[in-house]
Amino acid sequence: GVSFADIPNGVAAIDAIPPLGWFQMVFFIGAVDYWGFLGDFEVGKPKLSPEKLAKAQLQELQHGRLAMLATMELLRHDSQELVSPGFDGPL
């Protein structure tokens, strides 16, 4: 098998993960999304008025979008380092 120590960081990990590993990840994420294994739990949900709930949902959506942009920048930065090593200067 492949140990965690054998997998490099960042974009370089894409080629290091075996096909069965990718299949397991895609299958599990797809199964949870399709069949809803994790469910919709009522425990821990705050009791909000419709106005406050709409505001909280909008904030969650905006934070999610910001997180996606940050992730894309990290991937771009890591990919640039693969293309031209030393792009950011000496490590």
Side-chain angles (χ1 to χ4, degrees):
V2 179
S3 70
F4 286 112
D6 295 337
I7 304 294
N9 291 329
V11 177
I14 292 173
D15 291 334
I17 298 174
L20 186 57
W22 282 111
F23 175 76
Q24 288 173 337
M25 288 186 277
V26 169
F27 177 79
F28 179 72
I29 293 168
V32 168
D33 188 50
Y34 184 74
W35 287 296
F37 286 144
L38 300 180
D40 184 18
F41 301 106
E42 291 299 320
V43 176
K45 286 187 178 178
K47 307 286 190 255
L48 299 174
S49 67
E51 297 83 24
K52 287 187 178 182
L53 179 62
K55 182 179 178 184
Q57 288 175 331
L58 178 61
Q59 288 174 340
E60 182 70 23
L61 184 64
Q62 290 171 340
H63 292 159
R65 289 176 177 160
L66 182 61
M68 286 188 278
L69 286 172
T71 301
M72 292 305 295
E73 171 54 26
L74 288 171
L75 289 172
R76 187 221 47 91
H77 184 269
D78 198 33
S79 299
Q80 179 66 42
E81 194 63 32
L82 284 175
V83 172
S84 57
F87 177 72
D88 289 330
L91 295 176

